[in-house]
Amino acid sequence: MDGATTVIAPVLILLGPPGAGKGTQARMLEEKFGLVQLSTGDLLREAVAQGTEAGKAAKAVMEAGELVSDQIVIDILRDRLAQSDCQRGVILDGFPRTTVQAQALDKLLEESGQKIDAAISLDVDDAAMVTRISGRYTCAGCGEGYHDTFKQPATAGTCDKCQGTDFKRRADDNAETVASRLEAYHAQTAPLIDYYAKAGALSRIDAMGAIDSIAADLAAIVKTATA
Ligand SMILES: [Zn+2]
């Protein structure tokens, strides 16, 4: 292609356990860089609703109570990436989850001369994550958020906002559940981290800091990837 410059939009993958703030960070990247976040669940729902070929295939498989194959997800992704809003770049969330999927994704991107620009791992300290998540609770009256370690009401047992005395915790925010969620995440993600490290596409961010500093680290990586 002489003369014409083809701008290839960045393709980013965001990896991080539940509670690492992936959703918040993806939204900030959407706002700052105009990137489009593509999550597998949303893609499937859209394709089924639109009745695309791949969407029909996905619907049939799901109605039969089976798991949607990697090939169907890839086909749906191919359709979605061809839409104009994705030309500014995308953030993949929830796909790939396995190295087989990562290889299939690489092949798909090759079709259009693209590649993964950065697989960004939001790294967390597991013990600190357990403390952070399992300590959360909210006022049953007004929904104000509190934390055993970081934010107790000024008067113990009384909500600062509404003076309510009833508080609740999410059942799946207990320490054991959080620890096993993190363990499952690491077991599932370790091969992907290796895969992208070998491909030279892996970036790691300390995701235990303030939201703004994580966002700044992410923005620096995106800028490098798009330079
Ligand atoms: Zn309250």
Side-chain angles (χ1 to χ4, degrees):
M1 281 202 243
D2 38 87
T5 315
T6 309
V7 177
I8 296 180
V11 180
L12 310 173
I13 298 171
L14 216 44
L15 301 164
K22 237 176 359 156
T24 307
Q25 295 298 340
R27 274 193 298 281
M28 291 171 95
L29 289 177
E30 287 188 310
E31 280 168 28
K32 201 172 163 77
F33 296 98
L35 304 176
V36 176
Q37 185 189 7
L38 301 178
S39 86
T40 322
D42 291 345
L43 286 175
L44 276 171
R45 272 188 295 278
E46 281 169 20
V48 169
Q50 288 163 3
T52 62
E53 283 307 309
K56 283 183 205 159
K59 187 168 183 242
V61 170
M62 288 190 286
E63 280 175 354
E66 287 162 30
L67 283 176
V68 177
S69 68
D70 291 351
Q71 189 56 53
I72 293 175
V73 176
I74 286 286
D75 289 342
I76 289 174
L77 204 50
R78 180 186 291 109
D79 291 346
R80 186 66 185 86
L81 289 172
Q83 289 171 24
S84 59
D85 61 333
C86 291
Q87 282 171 8
R88 281 177 301 185
V90 297
I91 311 160
L92 295 172
D93 175 12
F95 188 91
R97 284 193 199 279
T98 65
T99 49
V100 172
Q101 290 176 351
Q103 286 161 346
L105 177 62
D106 283 347
K107 275 180 75 180
L108 167 65
L109 294 172
E110 272 168 31
E111 292 172 10
S112 53
Q114 285 176 291
K115 60 176 175 49
I116 299 294
D117 293 285
I120 304 164
S121 169
L122 298 180
D123 289 344
V124 301
D125 175 320
D126 286 11
M129 275 299 276
V130 170
T131 305
R132 186 188 278 188
I133 298 176
S134 66
R136 300 191 293 209
Y137 64 99
T138 55
C139 170
C142 71
E144 178 72 1
Y146 292 98
H147 195 282
D148 292 329
T149 311
F150 307 119
K151 190 192 169 195
Q152 289 279 22
T155 306
T158 304
C159 176
D160 295 341
K161 281 239 165 120
C162 74
Q163 320 307 317
T165 53
D166 236 6
F167 297 89
K168 56 183 184 184
R169 285 172 195 270
R170 285 176 44 167
D172 59 354
D173 274 356
N174 70 73
E176 294 75 34
T177 311
V178 176
S180 73
R181 271 201 313 251
L182 284 167
E183 211 173 291
Y185 169 79
H186 291 306
Q188 186 182 55
T189 315
L192 272 185
I193 302 260
D194 281 352
Y195 181 87
Y196 288 116
K198 281 185 189 131
L202 183 71
S203 296
R204 312 192 81 126
I205 285 183
D206 174 6
M208 297 307 289
I211 286 177
D212 288 348
S213 92
I214 302 168
D217 289 348
L218 263 174
I221 291 171
V222 175
K223 277 187 193 139
T224 309
T226 50

